[in-house]
Amino acid sequence: MALPLWALTLLGLMSLGVSLRLRKLDVFRSNTELNHLVVDETSGVVYVGAVNALYQLSADLQLQQHAVTGPAMDNKKCTPPIEASQCHEAVSTDNVNQLLLLDPPGKRLVECGSLFKGICALRALSNVSVRLFYEDGSGEKSFVASNDERVATVGLVSSTHPDGERVLFVGKGNGPHDNGIIVSTRLLDRAEGREAFEAYSDHTTFKAGYLSTNTQQFVAAFEDSVYVFFIFNQQDKHPARNRTLLARMCKDDPSYYSYVEMDLQCQDPSDSQGSAFGTCLAASVATPGAGKVLYAVFSRDGRSSGGPGAGLCMFPLDEVHAKMEANRNTCYTGTREAGRETFYKPFHGEIQCGGHVLGASESFPCGSEHLPYPLGSRDGLTATPLLQRGGLNLTAVTVTAENGHAVAFLGTSDGRILKVYLAPDGTSEEYGSILVDINKRIKQDLALSGNLSSLYAMTQDKVFRLPVQECLSYLTCAQCRDSQDPYCGWCVVEGRCTRRAECPRAEETGHWLWSRDKSCVAITDAHPQNMSRRAQGEVQLAVSPLPTLTNEDELLCLFGESPPHPARVEGDAVICHSPSSIPSTPPGQDHVAVSIQLLFRHGNVFLTSHQSPPCMWAVTC
Ligand SMILES: *[C@@H]1O[C@H](CO)[C@@H](O)[C@H](O)[C@H]1NC(C)=O
Ligand SMILES: *[C@@H]1O[C@H](CO)[C@@H](O)[C@H](O)[C@H]1NC(C)=O
Ligand SMILES: *[C@@H]1O[C@H](CO)[C@@H](O)[C@H](O)[C@H]1NC(C)=O
Ligand SMILES: *[C@@H]1O[C@H](CO)[C@@H](O)[C@H](O)[C@H]1NC(C)=O
Ligand SMILES: *[C@@H]1O[C@H](CO)[C@@H](O)[C@H](O)[C@H]1NC(C)=O
């Protein structure tokens, strides 16, 4: 004889969820190869430099303006302006965009191409078709970018000091018909008889001493307080070595006394051969916590013991500065002999260290004529990869912080964007990847939109806009949690997966459950677990984690088909009345299972779509 019992199936809290399909990516396609991309944080406008073209695009990648920059009659050996009578070898030549930088205070854009010895133009941010400055008759002093499309040029627009003039810091390698300049500082406005793009002072250019001894491929330029940094790969011939170098200069240093450089290495200590990743392919600076950090992706070719692959390394700028200061101090005040192994004069050769008083490096933070300069050191920083991948290259990196958590977006040589959580303990986890363009290398310029909600990625001929997160597409707390997306968490009273900033009561305990904390609200226990059909009474539910509730937060108990009734909250327990109507016991069973749901009632409105999360827990009876 079946006992007239009913049992509880604890359903936790069902959610209807918000239905949201994955967004289709916004795409812009160019007829020619794309080279560079920058985003104006304030307006959201995207500027793209391509072969023979500049594009101005809206935030959703609609074309606003298109300027033609080439082709034109040119020859790498000839000095512009090109006249057929002077340059017999001139042929129609493509203009590869070598440098594309914003100067928002000046409402202008700096653009340099490979044509005409790498001369540059200033254009209006409001309309890239409007050229504010362009001069092709100034000769040698106006040659800025490399005119070799295989040789990278990097740059940074900044001020020499807070009230100083706007200047352009440029780093580049040199092709066979280049001007030999490696690092230079250029004016952006006419000053003291000098035109825009001429050197800021007579001394703000470094030329390679011996052009053939080493070759540079620049990767990135960035700034930190009073300093400008360059990161580049250099192939040394004597001794033969491939190095990645980080160079630093004071921005306000018209004599270049302050230039220091040192090696950066990304090396897996468990690789017994000790083969470091050889080439830096991309770098970006972010402030995920207290201080700025340089993130760089490196590649390793097939000849090394680990096989071809890629690694992401980080270098906190605090450590970088400390090491550079230590190097300066050692060179200035150490012995000549000891310095000989470690220090050298970049782009030239030997340097004379030693002979200076203690404290010379602190007294002259930007160097001085009487101190050795420029200063290079073979003693640099080595970091352990946060992440490694075999058989492909990481070709782009951008790091951002969401609610205090560091997230890296990495472009790959096979057309994907990897989403990586960088934990404070130095470990990392790839929690997602987006296939952008199959087997098309993601180009180095990977940029976040001004409000950090989307990411612009570029391949050979397409620009894509990707959302940085798609929390709303996770319909249940379990999906939200399993996404492991550091942007996402379950917003309990709304019953949605959201960014923390989009959850109104996220500040209150238990109201926004971060996906990586791996928790969802669950009914973990019920007491009693079953009751006789004839009995009536209270059922006490243990709920974990129970969000903090105010008097306004009314919880409803919903037993099976019974009408919902208000629950009482006592400490960690939620107390319901046993159901008023119980379905008939199925034949051959001694009990019937009844589901329980807890719902939030909001004011007098029953928010069915705003329920608590659905974490299943069943009591079998
Ligand atoms: C942008 O500048 C070009 C060239 O001066 C002009 O033809 C065009 O009308 C301008 N576009 C807008 C939207 O102002
Ligand atoms: C440096 O890299 C170049 C190009 O990848 C390669 O040809 C050369 O052998 C490397 N040199 C050394 C010393 O590893
Ligand atoms: C990775 O980058 C290195 C160095 O630039 C290059 O030699 C190699 O061919 C690249 N590999 C892939 C798979 O793109
Ligand atoms: C960011 O900007 C885009 C377009 O400019 C806009 O659609 C989006 O709502 C903004 N997102 C946030 C979180 O402000
Ligand atoms: C009812 O609950 C008691 C303990 O509370 C348990 O021993 C018994 O097996 C349960 N009966 C059913 C049918 O689940």
Side-chain angles (χ1 to χ4, degrees):
M1 165 92 198
L3 290 170
L5 285 177
W6 58 270
L8 308 177
T9 303
L10 300 185
L11 263 184
L13 312 145
M14 279 304 284
S15 167
L16 299 181
V18 190
S19 123
L20 194 109
R21 315 196 68 229
L22 286 187
R23 265 183 284 175
K24 203 170 156 284
L25 301 182
D26 293 318
V27 183
F28 170 78
R29 184 193 285 263
S30 162
N31 292 328
T32 56
E33 174 162 7
L34 297 171
N35 308 122
H36 289 290
L37 177 148
V38 285
V39 180
D40 182 349
E41 284 181 22
T42 321
S43 65
V45 173
V46 179
Y47 300 89
V48 180
V51 173
N52 300 332
L54 285 177
Y55 301 104
Q56 179 179 333
L57 310 174
S58 62
D60 59 352
L61 302 181
Q62 301 300 307
L63 183 64
Q64 291 180 338
Q65 278 299 322
H66 168 205
V68 174
T69 59
M73 294 301 282
D74 190 23
N75 185 288
K76 292 197 192 311
K77 290 183 225 159
C78 298
T79 297
I82 303 298
E83 284 163 29
S85 56
Q86 308 277 316
C87 179
H88 302 293
E89 298 122 311
V91 289
S92 175
T93 306
D94 282 338
N95 195 8
V96 174
N97 176 244
Q98 291 284 65
L99 201 56
L100 187 66
L101 299 167
L102 300 180
D103 178 24
K107 299 189 174 60
R108 59 196 173 178
L109 186 81
V110 175
E111 163 254 319
C112 315
S114 59
L115 272 187
F116 308 144
K117 294 277 188 185
I119 62 175
C120 304
L122 293 171
R123 290 172 181 267
L125 278 189
S126 57
N127 183 346
V128 286
S129 300
V130 176
R131 222 155 47 174
L132 303 173
F133 176 88
Y134 178 77
E135 177 54 65
D136 67 356
S138 304
E140 182 86 22
K141 58 190 187 235
S142 66
F143 304 163
V144 175
S146 171
N147 70 346
D148 189 324
E149 43 291 299
R150 295 161 303 178
V151 177
T153 301
V154 302
L156 175 81
V157 174
S158 187
S159 303
T160 50
H161 53 90
D163 303 317
E165 53 239 291
R166 301 295 285 170
V167 289
L168 168 65
F169 296 96
V170 185
K172 69 171 186 60
N174 285 279
H177 303 290
D178 246 316
N179 59 1
I181 292 177
I182 298 173
V183 176
S184 59
T185 310
R186 309 287 179 151
L187 290 167
L188 287 180
D189 299 285
R190 179 180 294 133
E192 291 159 19
R194 293 173 198 255
E195 263 310 342
F197 299 116
E198 290 183 28
Y200 169 63
S201 80
D202 288 344
H203 308 287
T204 55
T205 50
F206 273 142
K207 261 195 162 173
Y210 322 102
L211 256 184
S212 55
T213 42
N214 44 41
T215 55
Q216 290 86 16
Q217 272 293 352
F218 276 74
V219 179
F222 60 92
E223 61 187 321
D224 182 37
S225 66
V226 302
Y227 298 107
V228 55
F229 283 88
F230 295 100
I231 178 164
F232 56 98
N233 299 301
Q234 180 168 290
Q235 218 174 310
D236 282 6
K237 298 228 169 71
H238 310 291
R241 215 149 70 86
N242 286 337
R243 307 164 68 195
T244 297
L245 289 155
L246 183 62
R248 188 192 77 176
M249 282 193 313
C250 289
K251 286 190 274 188
D252 194 2
D253 176 9
S255 306
Y256 274 14
Y257 295 143
S258 61
Y259 182 99
V260 290
E261 67 176 35
M262 67 179 187
D263 288 80
L264 280 190
Q265 288 202 315
C266 184
Q267 183 163 11
D268 182 357
S270 69
D271 183 341
S272 55
Q273 308 262 308
S275 61
F277 288 99
T279 311
C280 178
L281 295 186
S284 103
V285 171
T287 312
K292 278 195 192 179
V293 178
L294 168 66
Y295 295 89
V297 288
F298 292 80
S299 78
R300 187 171 58 199
D301 64 24
R303 289 171 303 173
S304 80
S305 60
L312 167 68
C313 272
M314 64 177 248
F315 303 90
L317 290 191
D318 282 354
E319 286 178 29
V320 167
H321 286 296
K323 186 71 188 172
M324 286 181 164
E325 288 311 305
N327 282 343
R328 292 177 69 224
N329 192 51
T330 307
C331 173
Y332 296 170
T333 60
T335 64
R336 240 159 234 185
E337 291 64 40
R340 207 158 279 155
E341 290 296 297
T342 310
F343 298 104
Y344 58 90
K345 189 166 193 155
F347 320 125
H348 290 89
E350 301 260 303
I351 200 163
Q352 291 268 305
C353 280
H356 295 281
V357 295
L358 286 177
S361 52
E362 286 100 336
S363 310
F364 300 97
C366 289
S368 171
E369 194 171 10
H370 72 281
L371 296 168
Y373 74 91
L375 178 60
S377 170
R378 293 185 183 90
D379 178 18
L381 290 178
T382 300
T384 302
L386 295 171
L387 171 135
Q388 296 189 54
R389 288 290 175 274
L392 57 72
N393 277 338
L394 296 172
T395 53
V397 54
T398 189
V399 176
T400 181
E402 168 74 359
N403 184 32
H405 304 294
V407 182
F409 296 99
L410 304 172
T412 67
S413 51
D414 61 0
R416 287 175 298 142
I417 301 290
L418 309 183
K419 303 183 189 182
V420 177
Y421 169 64
L422 305 176
D425 66 0
T427 60
S428 72
E429 186 190 312
E430 181 185 327
Y431 64 89
S433 88
I434 305 177
L435 180 62
V436 172
D437 206 358
I438 193 158
N439 286 331
K440 297 279 173 60
R441 186 169 62 88
I442 304 291
K443 298 234 173 188
Q444 197 191 332
D445 292 1
L446 183 65
L448 289 158
S449 66
N451 66 11
L452 307 180
S453 66
S454 25
L455 185 69
Y456 295 100
M458 211 164 66
T459 56
Q460 167 86 13
D461 64 346
K462 293 192 206 82
V463 183
F464 298 85
R465 180 167 77 152
L466 320 164
V468 294
Q469 51 77 28
E470 287 175 297
C471 301
L472 284 177
S473 69
Y474 305 112
L475 302 183
T476 65
C477 181
Q479 288 175 3
C480 187
R481 176 195 60 200
D482 294 344
S483 73
Q484 289 293 291
D485 187 329
Y487 279 91
C488 304
W490 189 253
C491 185
V492 174
V493 293
E494 298 216 323
R496 299 193 301 161
C497 186
T498 67
R499 291 171 83 157
R500 189 180 165 102
E502 285 156 10
C503 184
R505 292 171 64 183
E507 299 305 315
E508 296 173 52
T509 310
H511 277 262
W512 186 77
L513 306 174
W514 188 40
S515 67
R516 303 194 63 87
D517 283 338
K518 301 193 171 113
S519 76
C520 281
V521 178
I523 298 173
T524 55
D525 198 10
H527 187 79
Q529 298 209 328
N530 56 50
M531 252 185 206
S532 150
R533 221 173 234 289
R534 284 177 294 272
Q536 283 286 304
E538 289 187 333
V539 181
Q540 189 171 327
L541 304 175
V543 176
S544 174
L546 183 65
T548 52
L549 300 172
T550 66
N551 290 339
E552 265 101 79
D553 297 316
E554 225 185 312
L555 279 183
L556 298 175
C557 302
L558 189 57
F559 282 70
E561 304 290 299
S562 302
H565 66 271
R568 206 169 77 240
V569 179
E570 278 180 13
D572 287 345
V574 176
I575 295 156
C576 301
H577 293 295
S578 56
S580 50
S581 87
I582 299 162
S584 53
T585 309
Q589 255 182 251
D590 63 354
H591 68 277
V592 55
V594 179
S595 68
I596 297 184
Q597 295 180 49
L598 291 176
L599 307 171
F600 275 100
R601 188 216 291 267
H602 188 264
N604 286 326
V605 190
F606 199 142
L607 295 176
T608 49
S609 59
H610 287 209
Q611 300 166 357
S612 291
C615 301
M616 307 286 276
W617 191 85
V619 176
T620 50
C621 301

